């Protein structure tokens, strides 16, 4: 792995029996990274590439921003955005500490274009979110992707 990592987190837990009782929040930013080299992100990128034509995640210029909230036995991703030269992933959902995934993402070249157009791109993103998205389940090392159509 190569890249620049900036992370901040606040975590609260009881002294005894902390498993399942974590709370807090944080933010992770990656710059000049090769995202497929990171285990969870790499398996997600590979799976979405097979399903939805995600391209460009292989140079050391990828970026990612994640805002999360710790909720007992999982981290809720309030906002996830990963960007390569040609594609992007945008979404939210839950990553459980046992590796189980429950994420909703939009991904592909259109996501990348939306990110370039500021407020207009955000409006386009709101529209595409209502049309469809990928529901990512399974385990961190072996994500499963299903296409969901219609409003969530």
């Amino acid at each position: 792995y190569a890249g620049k990592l900036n992370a901040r987190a606040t975590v609260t837990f009881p002294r005894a029996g902390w498993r399942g009782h974590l709370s807090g929040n944080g933010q992770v930013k990656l710059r000049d990274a090769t995202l497929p080299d990171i285990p969870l992100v790499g398996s997600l990128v590979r799976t979405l590439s097979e399903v939805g034509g995600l391209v460009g995640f292989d140079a050391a210029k990828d970026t990612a921003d994640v805002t999360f909230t710790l909720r007992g036995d999982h981290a809720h991703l309030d906002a996830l955005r990963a960007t390569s030269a040609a594609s992007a992933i945008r979404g939210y959902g839950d990553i459980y500490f046992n590796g189980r995934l429950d994420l909703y993402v939009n991904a592909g070249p259109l996501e990348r274009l939306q990110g370039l157009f500021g407020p207009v791109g955000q409006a386009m993103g709101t529209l595409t979110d209502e049309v469809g998205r990928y529901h990512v389940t399974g385990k961190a090392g072996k994500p499963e992707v299903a296409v969901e159509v219609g409003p969530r």
Side-chain angles (χ1 to χ4, degrees), residues 81-84 86-90 108-125 128:
R81 180 149 184 90
T83 305
S84 75
S87 293
I89 300 169
R90 179 178 50 84
L110 181 59
E111 286 301 315
R112 177 68 174 121
L113 287 174
Q114 290 171 359
L116 296 174
F117 290 115
V120 172
Q122 286 178 334
M124 288 171 45
T128 60

